[in-house]
Amino acid sequence: MRVILSVAIGLAALALAGRAEAYPQFQLSTGTDSCGQCHFNPGGGGLLTEYGRDEAGSTLSMIEGDGRFLHGAWTPPSSFQIGGDLRFLGGVRVGEDTETLAFPMQAELYLRPRIGPLSLYVAAGARPSREGFAAGSREHYLMYEPEESDWYVRAGRFYPVYGLRSQDHTSYVRRHLQMYLYEEPYGVGYGRYGAGTELHVSAFTKTPSAELGTAQDSGVAVYYERRNDESTAAYAAQTKLTLSDTDRRGWIGGVYKRWMEGSKLLFLAEVDAGVQTFADAGDADPRLQTIGYVGATYFAKGGLMIGGVLQSYDEDLLLKNSTRDALELNVQWFPYPHLELHLLARAEVLGVAFGDPITLVVTQLHYYL
Amino acid sequence: MRTPLLFALAVGLTGCVEVEDRSTNWNYLHAAIVEPSCATIGCHSEATRAAGPTMLEVDLSTPGVAYLAITGVECGSGDDPGLLTERGTQPDFPLMLLLEGAPYPDRDEFPTEPELTQMPPDVPLPPADQALIRQWIEAGAPCE
């Protein structure tokens, strides 16, 4: 029984494990307009572009260095980009039972061979399993993007571009919007960039084998973002419609981003409203749902970011005691290129039990290749 | 104008519908609670089940396999939910101990499983979800 308990706790820890994506805080605040400037993935996250590596090596770190692959010891050709992410997490969760957490969180390699406008993107590494980790690939897609163009198309496995795309997969705007661990569906995507605008349209379907992941939905997602002339504010409208064997969901939402250069403050917000209906569920009523995310990040000197986030998810708006709320503090320090130390403290409340929050405190050491 | 807005805000903050007004249909409960909360990649998913023979091989990814795993009978077979009955009937079935967590005053009744940990182990279900599952058990764990 102890073995079972240990495995259960280990898998609970793995619920935290996995991928961290792009840092939406860097958009606008570092002079970048879109995720695709620093990442090859137009939705952000994963392998860094040359520009992204330069920024990581100079602007973002306390001590300036070389953000290139292996600190510049060897530079892969532009036709075959390589990178990777390694993360280790340690911490404690305080609830009914206090639990210590310490485990490798992410070990992934990114490859991007390219021939002209055609590229293949592969993120391969470890995924959570009963044994701890098993080999897997969350993302792999072919992408066609003519040079100096303002559009792309891609097909394969990737998250539809939607929402803030927080690096934290446990954030409500990912966890409860079908963007949790290994929920990447298969699909096609199209994107177009304009003067201060970007549009992304995705159509997707569930994974062909349940052993590849847990995406069970087919659907479409549309994300349209517009920035002001100074690129200090961005507004986005979005919608996502999904269909599975057991339910249907429709979401509409919006995203707001505001960078205040004078005070070095960045505000990020997302709100989504949805309705979920059920298949073969007799008299079950549809559920109205809401998800909210409001965060502020202060960019201090020395590669330090300090942020606070308030999140709320109501899975059944009309039903009493069905809400989750969370207040969290993030301290992220980038002392040297390729290195990050992240402290996360979160208090989460279920229903109206505001006097009895579940507290999570974790630190994460991150190194990217 | 102000009154409807305040009403909407109040509903959003507190809700107005009781658990008793919600369905006990298993397909509804599975899509609303079980699949999103329990069938994640590292937990009770088909991928985890395929990985090996432990208690965690329990697959809750579809309504059918989840019903069989929890009740011990196939949905539509016409059998009573045997597993629930064998373990002392509703609502003392350990499932509720798993979902509601410590202090588990009823744990002594299940000496073979003294170390059940609360589920989901990362963040428990909101009180409304726990109550919906309890209501389903008390209704005889219908599969439809």
Side-chain angles (χ1 to χ4, degrees):
Chain A
M1 191 57 68
R2 285 190 181 280
V3 173
I4 292 174
L5 180 64
S6 300
V7 172
I9 290 175
L11 290 178
L14 284 169
L16 286 167
R19 163 193 203 191
E21 293 199 50
Y23 298 89
Q25 297 95 329
F26 290 152
Q27 188 192 8
L28 306 182
S29 63
T30 59
T32 53
D33 287 341
S34 66
C35 300
Q37 276 184 261
C38 292
H39 296 274
F40 286 108
N41 184 340
L47 187 61
L48 290 168
T49 63
E50 185 178 349
Y51 178 84
R53 289 183 178 277
D54 283 346
E55 282 292 298
S58 54
T59 311
L60 305 180
S61 301
M62 181 180 75
I63 301 171
E64 193 169 326
D66 196 328
R68 290 178 296 169
F69 182 67
L70 296 178
H71 300 262
W74 174 69
T75 303
S78 62
S79 60
F80 196 91
Q81 294 290 313
I82 309 172
D85 276 307
L86 300 169
R87 284 183 163 89
F88 188 86
L89 186 143
V92 63
R93 180 187 293 117
V94 182
E96 295 284 356
D97 299 307
T98 298
E99 181 184 340
T100 303
L101 308 169
F103 53 88
M105 181 179 170
Q106 183 184 24
E108 285 196 307
L109 192 65
Y110 310 124
L111 303 173
R112 184 182 179 266
R114 177 180 63 84
I115 301 174
L118 191 64
S119 62
L120 172 67
Y121 185 98
V122 177
R127 69 165 176 79
S129 80
R130 185 185 66 84
E131 303 296 337
F133 285 99
S137 171
R138 298 176 295 98
E139 289 186 313
H140 38 264
Y141 55 83
L142 276 171
M143 183 160 161
Y144 181 80
E145 185 176 29
E147 203 164 340
E148 305 298 327
S149 69
D150 59 0
W151 62 276
Y152 72 85
V153 290
R154 58 177 171 166
R157 188 178 196 189
F158 55 87
Y159 276 128
V161 177
Y162 190 88
L164 283 172
R165 285 154 277 153
S166 166
Q167 75 271 23
D168 178 4
H169 64 273
T170 66
S171 66
Y172 291 177
V173 287
R174 284 192 53 189
R175 174 71 177 86
H176 301 295
L177 283 170
Q178 291 93 41
M179 290 185 282
Y180 194 48
L181 289 177
Y182 273 78
E183 278 197 279
E184 289 93 343
Y186 281 83
V188 294
Y190 165 81
R192 178 175 286 277
Y193 301 91
T197 65
E198 57 183 283
L199 169 70
H200 303 272
V201 181
S202 310
F204 51 89
T205 189
K206 63 183 180 182
T207 50
S209 164
E211 294 188 24
L212 293 173
T214 57
Q216 298 195 15
D217 298 301
S218 300
V220 295
V222 179
Y223 178 89
Y224 176 75
E225 180 175 301
R226 176 176 286 276
R227 295 175 287 276
N228 64 359
D229 292 340
E230 298 79 26
S231 284
T232 55
Y235 318 83
Q238 58 189 3
T239 185
K240 184 158 73 170
L241 305 171
T242 66
L243 168 67
S244 78
D245 293 337
T246 57
D247 69 353
R248 294 158 179 77
R249 295 188 196 216
W251 290 99
I252 56 169
V255 169
Y256 175 67
K257 309 168 188 176
R258 179 80 166 95
W259 168 242
M260 302 172 73
E261 176 66 36
S263 54
K264 299 293 181 189
L265 272 174
L266 177 78
F267 293 97
L268 295 174
E270 176 177 347
V271 62
D272 296 278
V275 59
Q276 180 184 24
T277 61
F278 302 92
D280 302 323
D283 59 347
D285 295 321
R287 300 201 306 175
L288 304 177
Q289 302 174 323
T290 55
I291 297 183
Y293 177 107
V294 179
T297 301
Y298 173 64
F299 286 72
K301 290 182 178 177
L304 193 64
M305 293 195 313
I306 303 168
V309 177
L310 185 63
Q311 304 181 74
S312 180
Y313 170 49
D314 196 328
E315 63 183 34
D316 189 339
L317 197 61
L318 299 180
L319 183 64
K320 290 181 178 176
N321 269 330
S322 61
T323 311
R324 302 166 192 255
D325 297 291
L327 178 66
E328 71 181 46
L329 169 71
N330 288 283
V331 179
Q332 288 158 276
W333 184 39
F334 303 87
Y336 191 73
H338 300 264
L339 275 179
E340 177 199 3
L341 192 62
H342 183 179
L343 170 70
L344 164 66
R346 176 186 294 162
E348 190 163 5
V349 172
L350 304 173
V352 291
F354 291 99
D356 189 24
I358 299 159
T359 306
L360 173 72
V361 180
V362 291
T363 57
Q364 177 195 129
L365 180 64
H366 171 209
Y367 180 85
Y368 78 86
L369 292 174
Chain B
M1 185 63 190
R2 184 178 295 175
T3 302
L5 285 175
L6 288 174
F7 177 74
L9 181 64
V11 167
L13 290 175
T14 64
C16 59
V17 172
E18 301 288 348
V19 167
E20 292 75 23
D21 297 323
R22 286 291 184 246
S23 175
T24 56
N25 183 286
W26 175 245
N27 288 337
Y28 157 71
L29 295 172
H30 182 269
I33 301 171
V34 178
E35 191 275 325
S37 300
C38 312
T40 51
I41 186 70
C43 298
H44 298 297
S45 63
E46 187 173 334
T48 306
R49 180 197 56 77
T54 75
M55 186 176 180
L56 292 162
E57 72 176 9
V58 171
D59 179 5
L60 303 178
S61 59
T62 67
V65 298
Y67 188 83
L68 176 61
I70 290 173
T71 67
V73 301
E74 282 194 33
C75 182
S77 67
D79 296 333
D80 284 336
L83 189 56
L84 291 176
T85 305
E86 286 174 15
R87 295 203 181 182
T89 71
Q90 333 75 352
D92 294 329
F93 173 56
L95 176 61
M96 289 316 303
L97 300 184
L98 288 170
L99 299 179
E100 293 175 349
Y104 301 159
D106 298 332
R107 263 186 173 174
D108 292 343
E109 298 177 21
F110 306 100
T112 59
E113 299 176 48
E115 298 184 52
L116 293 172
T117 190
Q118 187 170 16
M119 293 287 160
D122 51 347
V123 179
L125 295 174
D129 286 355
Q130 295 182 14
L132 285 166
I133 298 291
R134 178 177 286 278
Q135 178 175 260
W136 170 72
I137 294 173
E138 289 173 344
C143 73
E144 291 173 344

